[in-house]
Amino acid sequence: MSDRTGVGIVGAGAISAQYLRTLTRAPDLDVRFVADLDTERARARAAEFDVPGSGTLDALLADDAVRIVVNLTVPRAHVDVALTALAAGRHVWNEKPLALDRAGGRAVLDAARSAGLRVATAPDTVLGPGFQRALRLVRSGAIGTPLSALAQVQNPGPERWHPDPAFLYGAGAGPLLDLGPYYLTALVHLFGPVTRVQAVAARSREERVIGSGPKAGERFPVTVATQVSALYAFAGGESAQALFSFDSPLRRQRLEVTGTDASVVVGDPNMFDPVPEVHHADGSVLRTAPIRTRIGRGVGVVELARAIRAGEPERASGELAYHVLDVMLATLETATSGKVIDIHSTCERPALFPSTIREGEVD
Amino acid sequence: MSDRTGVGIVGAGAISAQYLRTLTRAPDLDVRFVADLDTERARARAAEFDVPGSGTLDALLADDAVRIVVNLTVPRAHVDVALTALAAGRHVWNEKPLALDRAGGRAVLDAARSAGLRVATAPDTVLGPGFQRALRLVRSGAIGTPLSALAQVQNPGPERWHPDPAFLYGAGAGPLLDLGPYYLTALVHLFGPVTRVQAVAARSREERVIGSGPKAGERFPVTVATQVSALYAFAGGESAQALFSFDSPLRRQRLEVTGTDASVVVGDPNMFDPVPEVHHADGSVLRTAPIRTRIGRGVGVVELARAIRAGEPERASGELAYHVLDVMLATLETATSGKVIDIHSTCERPALFPSTIREGEVD
Amino acid sequence: MSDRTGVGIVGAGAISAQYLRTLTRAPDLDVRFVADLDTERARARAAEFDVPGSGTLDALLADDAVRIVVNLTVPRAHVDVALTALAAGRHVWNEKPLALDRAGGRAVLDAARSAGLRVATAPDTVLGPGFQRALRLVRSGAIGTPLSALAQVQNPGPERWHPDPAFLYGAGAGPLLDLGPYYLTALVHLFGPVTRVQAVAARSREERVIGSGPKAGERFPVTVATQVSALYAFAGGESAQALFSFDSPLRRQRLEVTGTDASVVVGDPNMFDPVPEVHHADGSVLRTAPIRTRIGRGVGVVELARAIRAGEPERASGELAYHVLDVMLATLETATSGKVIDIHSTCERPALFPSTIREGEVD
Amino acid sequence: MSDRTGVGIVGAGAISAQYLRTLTRAPDLDVRFVADLDTERARARAAEFDVPGSGTLDALLADDAVRIVVNLTVPRAHVDVALTALAAGRHVWNEKPLALDRAGGRAVLDAARSAGLRVATAPDTVLGPGFQRALRLVRSGAIGTPLSALAQVQNPGPERWHPDPAFLYGAGAGPLLDLGPYYLTALVHLFGPVTRVQAVAARSREERVIGSGPKAGERFPVTVATQVSALYAFAGGESAQALFSFDSPLRRQRLEVTGTDASVVVGDPNMFDPVPEVHHADGSVLRTAPIRTRIGRGVGVVELARAIRAGEPERASGELAYHVLDVMLATLETATSGKVIDIHSTCERPALFPSTIREGEVD
């Protein structure tokens, strides 16, 4: 018992089920509590996963055995909940985004540093076996010296399938802020921090139409850029070209990294199991074996708990999340101003994830 | 006889064979002369294609029946040969590039305008049945309102197969200036002229190594950017993201256009017969039928001759070529300065190419 | 209540969860009971899906409101359980196979006919939106006159992932009997009954090795053919070529149908949502839109209940299942004897499945 | 001079250009004569390739320096021309087929044997770098123990593009006899001779319509099977499943070989440069490097000349061609009779082709 890390969940919405599936299976975690403003919703979710406690955030914080608060609230509540948990002496895992603006993100990191606590943030797909296999290939020299990357996420927009998509076209969202974290976090794992950005952005339509569900046919306003093309420069001299679009009938989720000897096509960094391909300069191609994994959302919490116990830095660090937030906001700013922006935030490039966190599941 | 347009070729190098194959089959052209500094080389090429005359450029210009001079000389001679032909009262077709710098290109266009003559310039792959099919799809509304394009040409560099590739890494070349014209010309056909550009560029290696042929293993210096990522804005509000690379082990030649309703994947704009695909927002995909064509390099000369006879503008106009040259040079300038550049040159968006130029061959 | 059809499940193994997910969501079914030899296992499964009753088969049959017995027992128990249910005046749905031999299958069909009851049998993937879309294309003339089909299911064998695979290489199994029903049932929907078969078969290894799980490394004997190539002729003059293999490192699941004007690539008939493609003779290809469906195993039970209420023939009929069993056994017999076999069993070609069984879910 | 083998061509039709392109570039051949019933056609072809002599077959045979007669006449003349050349003491290379029936083929082989001369026969695509790379992979153990093969050649029929296709649907042709040699010859290289065959065949239409050219729209009769499905057993216990079709709107040219450890997808055996792929049982796939080759039709003549000089057996032997003819005829016979046929002809499995025949061109 004493060697299991106590965890409490805040926010019993849809994504909490995905987290709980992972966290309740982790042998070194002890999931103790589900909190929600709607305590009945919290109770139901706790029952579904045999979690003993449920109720309010205050009640959660009253349980001294909870060491990590997993913050799955709506984005605009992320900062407040994180600050509350830190003030109560708990480490925090945040769903993405860390915050909606730089000030909020900075406040959370500062509070954690002052208190000697950790703040870590989604996405944790970069810890999955697919991306980690690609990362191992790159770091082991399989592509020679890395030079550049191409990131493309394109689709016709979530209103085709999401029953209530308006928020995905409002402040804090759009394709860049919603999907960019998966790609930019992966790029930082590959190349280290971004140093410079330039971009163009467009909003193709003033309104969009809900495509399915009970509200099908309803119109809603679009207040953010729905296609963003960006060029990033990295500290080591590498560059990346990125496209984030909700304006593309053609669907694509791609990340690829090019080096002097070969390119690695990573696949979709929003998945835990994309299968890397290595394209060699002689034209030969190796598609690596399919990945069977049960690793899913929440693996970053497991990693955070282990890092705390081991006294080592966590991989999905708040510094990294803040840097990615800063880069995304700068991307929008440069698209408006037309001026190249130098990025001043920075972070460590995370270490490879040891493949032993769950026996037989990380390839 | 009188209704066939007389044509003379200058430059009997490798590419002249490709041109002559097309031009000597065109029923409304009369190929009369092949000129070259090396008159023996001119004679052999003329004999190969049953062209009656061969010799020097002066001798070519002495044949009054030659109305169009097809300028296939090396790039640095393009401007001088074009000016000479114009001064002699002949229309000019240039292999790409129109010129190595803006001043040279402008001089040629000004001379033509003063003399009431035409200057047209490669590439003419945009007049091939593949790209024209894609263009018809776009103009007929198959993708809704066009919004943006993606252009990617990536390969590990021509030194892998070219026996003498050093010039492709020197002034006036590199992936942007060598391959960019195919993509940028196609984009201007699709969207009209470019109004703004920003870019990043890199040179991955100081030297490269010849990979095949008698000089295999020899090193040569690289003096140009070998990977260029650019963002283009167009007069109608469309945008394009482009990648030109000799640094990519992964090979790719792609042009795709996205509209509100669908995307058209054009394929390789450096070919006459890429097969367009239409990707609809519902996820369905139509791959159009394969294209069987004998149309090849030189079709632009045929079109120029017809345009002259009909008193209509030619599609591969010198204005378009100058605009593309201006855009490419600005792309390199913005990559150096880090400052967005507004493009001041412009041109007309060419009309669709009627599919009747060669019975049964343009689909 | 009175317009919902009562259903009882026999066999609470893994597949019962898949069935219950579908059946408990169907508005016109009333799932009343889960039976199993292990009544504790039955109780747990019933609780998981809020099914009121659980216990023995006898207890199930004591509930007069149960009109359809869903027989999910192990294959060797299929006939006994089906005969018991029929003797008790209940209609029967069987998991595949109907029986292990012709005599058993015939006994079940005869008992049903005598009693005026229905017997229907998996697979019901043919009722899914993917295959039905392909079937509608074929019947609407999209491929012209159907001529032939190609069926290929190839993989390296289930011992790579199945923790206890020995039974899949013993009597009543192997690639033909395990996977053949999906392909042959689909072919009968397309072309009607088979009239003639010839085949070759091979057993590549005497033993195979468990590849994962607690028994990894254990050897087990192989007593059936592990690769079967067969040629089928159909009543209407069509033909099919089929390959069923557990001997192929290359994985493939394919069904395609060729007509005079086009071919339809159906995709994997073991799935509910394969996306059909139409390949036209001019070389153009239409990939139809992706399918989003929650339809899964058990839809055939829903269809059976509706057919009973409507007094119409069910599509997954026992006659069809018997015919497919007869064809598979003949396939093995002809492979042994080297003599072409004429098939004497027959069945009706099922009607198209109306796309309204579940609002918005069948495309 | 004395170490170059003299070659004479009989038949100056379209295919002779392909042969001459290869033969006139081969450093150890001396192409001396082109013969044709139409001596003007012979003269023109000879001139095109700088071949010194042209005229009748008799004139060709009067040139003692011609050691190999390359028989490119129409199929029904193959036997007579071959016998004439053999009677005149010359070795013979035949375009496929060796003969139209077993008696003709046997007569040619017997005449050669009596005279101590060689008879070799197309196809020679199996000597190209693509298939040879696949063959080296198989023989080096890359797929483990070979078990089976899949051969599929499907298209909508040559009348879509061939201006005069009637003969391709008459005696001695159809998809089996026209395209089967490429696939069956490759299978014999892989597995050795065929021992047993069974098949079904169909003729989808009584008449077909010319699709292009001056006769477009004309109907012509079909007198052969236009789709043949066959199952072959080989001497070593391997099996193959094959489909030969002119009835398929979907186009496919595929040959793949499956072993205990992996499958090799060979690609189209009718090409010299298909790129093999290795599919491993763990799901990983290696696509080998693209092949750049100038090797084309005629390489078998080069190989024959070398084999004669070296006193070694030629790879494209007449025995192999006779065996393939026998297998194809048996395929049609079994499809008619419904009885499995045992094959009594046999041949040696050819050796790997050394990759040095043309420096740098065979990979």
mmCIF file of all heavy atoms in Angstrom, chain B residues 249-276:
data_model
loop_
_atom_site.group_PDB
_atom_site.id
_atom_site.type_symbol
_atom_site.label_atom_id
_atom_site.label_comp_id
_atom_site.label_asym_id
_atom_site.label_seq_id
_atom_site.Cartn_x
_atom_site.Cartn_y
_atom_site.Cartn_z
ATOM 1 N N PRO B 249 15.570 12.137 -47.781
ATOM 2 C CA PRO B 249 15.633 10.755 -48.254
ATOM 3 C C PRO B 249 14.277 10.271 -48.778
ATOM 4 O O PRO B 249 14.215 9.516 -49.743
ATOM 5 C CB PRO B 249 16.066 9.983 -47.004
ATOM 6 C CG PRO B 249 16.861 10.995 -46.214
ATOM 7 C CD PRO B 249 16.128 12.297 -46.428
ATOM 8 N N LEU B 250 13.194 10.705 -48.145
ATOM 9 C CA LEU B 250 11.860 10.372 -48.630
ATOM 10 C C LEU B 250 11.575 11.206 -49.877
ATOM 11 O O LEU B 250 11.748 12.417 -49.869
ATOM 12 C CB LEU B 250 10.854 10.685 -47.524
ATOM 13 C CG LEU B 250 9.415 10.266 -47.717
ATOM 14 C CD1 LEU B 250 8.748 10.126 -46.335
ATOM 15 C CD2 LEU B 250 8.621 11.260 -48.527
ATOM 16 N N ARG B 251 11.133 10.535 -50.931
ATOM 17 C CA ARG B 251 10.823 11.227 -52.191
ATOM 18 C C ARG B 251 9.326 11.536 -52.257
ATOM 19 O O ARG B 251 8.498 10.664 -51.973
ATOM 20 C CB ARG B 251 11.172 10.328 -53.378
ATOM 21 C CG ARG B 251 12.658 10.179 -53.612
ATOM 22 C CD ARG B 251 12.943 8.929 -54.401
ATOM 23 N NE ARG B 251 14.352 8.817 -54.746
ATOM 24 C CZ ARG B 251 15.271 8.305 -53.934
ATOM 25 N NH1 ARG B 251 14.933 7.857 -52.732
ATOM 26 N NH2 ARG B 251 16.532 8.230 -54.318
ATOM 27 N N ARG B 252 9.004 12.717 -52.686
ATOM 28 C CA ARG B 252 7.597 13.068 -52.817
ATOM 29 C C ARG B 252 7.481 14.179 -53.842
ATOM 30 O O ARG B 252 8.291 15.104 -53.854
ATOM 31 C CB ARG B 252 7.068 13.528 -51.454
ATOM 32 C CG ARG B 252 5.609 13.878 -51.439
ATOM 33 C CD ARG B 252 5.175 14.301 -50.044
ATOM 34 N NE ARG B 252 5.024 13.172 -49.141
ATOM 35 C CZ ARG B 252 5.416 13.175 -47.867
ATOM 36 N NH1 ARG B 252 5.990 14.230 -47.345
ATOM 37 N NH2 ARG B 252 5.236 12.117 -47.109
ATOM 38 N N GLN B 253 6.476 14.084 -54.707
ATOM 39 C CA GLN B 253 6.136 15.162 -55.637
ATOM 40 C C GLN B 253 4.641 15.317 -55.555
ATOM 41 O O GLN B 253 3.909 14.454 -56.033
ATOM 42 C CB GLN B 253 6.510 14.834 -57.094
ATOM 43 C CG GLN B 253 7.964 14.544 -57.320
ATOM 44 C CD GLN B 253 8.298 13.097 -57.063
ATOM 45 O OE1 GLN B 253 7.484 12.205 -57.214
ATOM 46 N NE2 GLN B 253 9.522 12.838 -56.647
ATOM 47 N N ARG B 254 4.203 16.370 -54.921
ATOM 48 C CA ARG B 254 2.767 16.472 -54.673
ATOM 49 C C ARG B 254 2.306 17.901 -54.819
ATOM 50 O O ARG B 254 2.950 18.831 -54.362
ATOM 51 C CB ARG B 254 2.465 15.995 -53.256
ATOM 52 C CG ARG B 254 1.028 16.307 -52.831
ATOM 53 C CD ARG B 254 0.794 15.843 -51.433
ATOM 54 N NE ARG B 254 0.755 14.394 -51.405
ATOM 55 C CZ ARG B 254 1.093 13.663 -50.346
ATOM 56 N NH1 ARG B 254 1.518 14.240 -49.258
ATOM 57 N NH2 ARG B 254 1.010 12.365 -50.398
ATOM 58 N N LEU B 255 1.152 18.043 -55.422
ATOM 59 C CA LEU B 255 0.456 19.315 -55.426
ATOM 60 C C LEU B 255 -0.990 18.992 -55.134
ATOM 61 O O LEU B 255 -1.564 18.125 -55.794
ATOM 62 C CB LEU B 255 0.591 20.003 -56.788
ATOM 63 C CG LEU B 255 -0.146 21.328 -56.916
ATOM 64 C CD1 LEU B 255 0.379 22.369 -55.941
ATOM 65 C CD2 LEU B 255 -0.023 21.853 -58.352
ATOM 66 N N GLU B 256 -1.558 19.650 -54.127
ATOM 67 C CA GLU B 256 -2.980 19.435 -53.883
ATOM 68 C C GLU B 256 -3.650 20.743 -53.558
ATOM 69 O O GLU B 256 -3.026 21.666 -53.019
ATOM 70 C CB GLU B 256 -3.216 18.375 -52.803
ATOM 71 C CG GLU B 256 -2.654 18.690 -51.473
ATOM 72 C CD GLU B 256 -2.610 17.479 -50.534
ATOM 73 O OE1 GLU B 256 -2.296 16.357 -50.975
ATOM 74 O OE2 GLU B 256 -2.883 17.661 -49.349
ATOM 75 N N VAL B 257 -4.906 20.828 -53.905
ATOM 76 C CA VAL B 257 -5.672 22.060 -53.771
ATOM 77 C C VAL B 257 -6.907 21.759 -52.955
ATOM 78 O O VAL B 257 -7.614 20.786 -53.235
ATOM 79 C CB VAL B 257 -6.119 22.589 -55.148
ATOM 80 C CG1 VAL B 257 -6.683 23.995 -55.007
ATOM 81 C CG2 VAL B 257 -4.978 22.562 -56.120
ATOM 82 N N THR B 258 -7.140 22.573 -51.962
ATOM 83 C CA THR B 258 -8.266 22.348 -51.072
ATOM 84 C C THR B 258 -9.292 23.451 -51.222
ATOM 85 O O THR B 258 -8.940 24.628 -51.246
ATOM 86 C CB THR B 258 -7.754 22.291 -49.623
ATOM 87 O OG1 THR B 258 -7.080 21.047 -49.461
ATOM 88 C CG2 THR B 258 -8.877 22.395 -48.616
ATOM 89 N N GLY B 259 -10.556 23.030 -51.321
ATOM 90 C CA GLY B 259 -11.645 23.985 -51.372
ATOM 91 C C GLY B 259 -12.630 23.718 -50.252
ATOM 92 O O GLY B 259 -12.402 22.869 -49.395
ATOM 93 N N THR B 260 -13.716 24.426 -50.286
ATOM 94 C CA THR B 260 -14.698 24.273 -49.206
ATOM 95 C C THR B 260 -15.360 22.899 -49.220
ATOM 96 O O THR B 260 -15.773 22.410 -48.173
ATOM 97 C CB THR B 260 -15.783 25.351 -49.329
ATOM 98 O OG1 THR B 260 -16.220 25.392 -50.694
ATOM 99 C CG2 THR B 260 -15.254 26.713 -48.925
ATOM 100 N N ASP B 261 -15.456 22.259 -50.381
ATOM 101 C CA ASP B 261 -16.200 21.002 -50.463
ATOM 102 C C ASP B 261 -15.331 19.776 -50.658
ATOM 103 O O ASP B 261 -15.754 18.659 -50.326
ATOM 104 C CB ASP B 261 -17.182 21.058 -51.649
ATOM 105 C CG ASP B 261 -18.216 22.150 -51.485
ATOM 106 O OD1 ASP B 261 -18.386 22.653 -50.357
ATOM 107 O OD2 ASP B 261 -18.849 22.507 -52.496
ATOM 108 N N ALA B 262 -14.164 19.951 -51.250
ATOM 109 C CA ALA B 262 -13.334 18.791 -51.577
ATOM 110 C C ALA B 262 -11.906 19.263 -51.801
ATOM 111 O O ALA B 262 -11.637 20.467 -51.884
ATOM 112 C CB ALA B 262 -13.861 18.084 -52.838
ATOM 113 N N SER B 263 -11.008 18.297 -51.872
ATOM 114 C CA SER B 263 -9.617 18.577 -52.228
ATOM 115 C C SER B 263 -9.305 17.834 -53.520
ATOM 116 O O SER B 263 -9.767 16.710 -53.716
ATOM 117 C CB SER B 263 -8.668 18.079 -51.132
ATOM 118 O OG SER B 263 -8.921 18.722 -49.905
ATOM 119 N N VAL B 264 -8.515 18.461 -54.370
ATOM 120 C CA VAL B 264 -7.999 17.752 -55.539
ATOM 121 C C VAL B 264 -6.514 17.498 -55.334
ATOM 122 O O VAL B 264 -5.737 18.442 -55.140
ATOM 123 C CB VAL B 264 -8.207 18.551 -56.838
ATOM 124 C CG1 VAL B 264 -7.404 17.933 -57.985
ATOM 125 C CG2 VAL B 264 -9.672 18.576 -57.217
ATOM 126 N N VAL B 265 -6.140 16.247 -55.340
ATOM 127 C CA VAL B 265 -4.729 15.890 -55.350
ATOM 128 C C VAL B 265 -4.313 15.839 -56.819
ATOM 129 O O VAL B 265 -4.798 15.009 -57.580
ATOM 130 C CB VAL B 265 -4.493 14.534 -54.665
ATOM 131 C CG1 VAL B 265 -3.039 14.132 -54.775
ATOM 132 C CG2 VAL B 265 -4.929 14.617 -53.209
ATOM 133 N N VAL B 266 -3.455 16.771 -57.201
ATOM 134 C CA VAL B 266 -3.084 16.917 -58.608
ATOM 135 C C VAL B 266 -2.055 15.877 -59.000
ATOM 136 O O VAL B 266 -2.086 15.315 -60.089
ATOM 137 C CB VAL B 266 -2.505 18.328 -58.850
ATOM 138 C CG1 VAL B 266 -2.022 18.467 -60.292
ATOM 139 C CG2 VAL B 266 -3.537 19.395 -58.513
ATOM 140 N N GLY B 267 -1.118 15.599 -58.114
ATOM 141 C CA GLY B 267 0.011 14.749 -58.463
ATOM 142 C C GLY B 267 1.203 15.623 -58.815
ATOM 143 O O GLY B 267 1.284 16.771 -58.408
ATOM 144 N N ASP B 268 2.117 15.073 -59.582
ATOM 145 C CA ASP B 268 3.395 15.715 -59.863
ATOM 146 C C ASP B 268 3.262 16.716 -61.018
ATOM 147 O O ASP B 268 3.072 16.308 -62.165
ATOM 148 C CB ASP B 268 4.407 14.624 -60.248
ATOM 149 C CG ASP B 268 5.798 15.182 -60.493
ATOM 150 O OD1 ASP B 268 5.980 16.409 -60.448
ATOM 151 O OD2 ASP B 268 6.710 14.374 -60.729
ATOM 152 N N PRO B 269 3.391 18.019 -60.751
ATOM 153 C CA PRO B 269 3.234 18.996 -61.832
ATOM 154 C C PRO B 269 4.424 19.047 -62.780
ATOM 155 O O PRO B 269 4.421 19.846 -63.712
ATOM 156 C CB PRO B 269 3.061 20.319 -61.079
ATOM 157 C CG PRO B 269 3.715 20.105 -59.778
ATOM 158 C CD PRO B 269 3.597 18.639 -59.456
ATOM 159 N N ASN B 270 5.411 18.213 -62.546
ATOM 160 C CA ASN B 270 6.548 18.108 -63.465
ATOM 161 C C ASN B 270 6.311 17.023 -64.510
ATOM 162 O O ASN B 270 7.186 16.682 -65.278
ATOM 163 C CB ASN B 270 7.821 17.810 -62.649
ATOM 164 C CG ASN B 270 9.094 17.951 -63.457
ATOM 165 O OD1 ASN B 270 9.059 18.344 -64.615
ATOM 166 N ND2 ASN B 270 10.213 17.623 -62.845
ATOM 167 N N MET B 271 5.099 16.445 -64.504
ATOM 168 C CA MET B 271 4.742 15.418 -65.472
ATOM 169 C C MET B 271 3.544 15.896 -66.286
ATOM 170 O O MET B 271 2.772 16.739 -65.840
ATOM 171 C CB MET B 271 4.356 14.121 -64.750
ATOM 172 C CG MET B 271 5.411 13.592 -63.810
ATOM 173 S SD MET B 271 6.885 12.984 -64.677
ATOM 174 C CE MET B 271 6.265 11.371 -65.211
ATOM 175 N N PHE B 272 3.380 15.316 -67.476
ATOM 176 C CA PHE B 272 2.241 15.693 -68.309
ATOM 177 C C PHE B 272 0.990 14.886 -67.981
ATOM 178 O O PHE B 272 -0.093 15.256 -68.373
ATOM 179 C CB PHE B 272 2.604 15.534 -69.792
ATOM 180 C CG PHE B 272 3.505 16.613 -70.297
ATOM 181 C CD1 PHE B 272 4.882 16.517 -70.181
ATOM 182 C CD2 PHE B 272 2.969 17.767 -70.849
ATOM 183 C CE1 PHE B 272 5.715 17.531 -70.633
ATOM 184 C CE2 PHE B 272 3.801 18.794 -71.297
ATOM 185 C CZ PHE B 272 5.183 18.682 -71.184
ATOM 186 N N ASP B 273 1.140 13.777 -67.263
ATOM 187 C CA ASP B 273 0.016 12.856 -67.118
ATOM 188 C C ASP B 273 -0.304 12.439 -65.685
ATOM 189 O O ASP B 273 -0.750 11.316 -65.457
ATOM 190 C CB ASP B 273 0.279 11.605 -67.955
ATOM 191 C CG ASP B 273 1.588 10.925 -67.543
ATOM 192 O OD1 ASP B 273 2.270 11.448 -66.648
ATOM 193 O OD2 ASP B 273 1.913 9.869 -68.110
ATOM 194 N N PRO B 274 -0.090 13.328 -64.688
ATOM 195 C CA PRO B 274 -0.511 12.909 -63.346
ATOM 196 C C PRO B 274 -2.027 12.744 -63.323
ATOM 197 O O PRO B 274 -2.751 13.457 -64.017
ATOM 198 C CB PRO B 274 -0.071 14.072 -62.461
ATOM 199 C CG PRO B 274 -0.106 15.256 -63.356
ATOM 200 C CD PRO B 274 0.362 14.734 -64.702
ATOM 201 N N VAL B 275 -2.488 11.798 -62.521
ATOM 202 C CA VAL B 275 -3.914 11.473 -62.482
ATOM 203 C C VAL B 275 -4.545 12.135 -61.261
ATOM 204 O O VAL B 275 -4.258 11.750 -60.131
ATOM 205 C CB VAL B 275 -4.103 9.941 -62.415
ATOM 206 C CG1 VAL B 275 -5.574 9.600 -62.235
ATOM 207 C CG2 VAL B 275 -3.558 9.305 -63.678
ATOM 208 N N PRO B 276 -5.410 13.112 -61.457
ATOM 209 C CA PRO B 276 -6.013 13.784 -60.305
ATOM 210 C C PRO B 276 -6.944 12.865 -59.507
ATOM 211 O O PRO B 276 -7.610 11.995 -60.070
ATOM 212 C CB PRO B 276 -6.820 14.930 -60.932
ATOM 213 C CG PRO B 276 -6.281 15.111 -62.303
ATOM 214 C CD PRO B 276 -5.793 13.762 -62.729
#
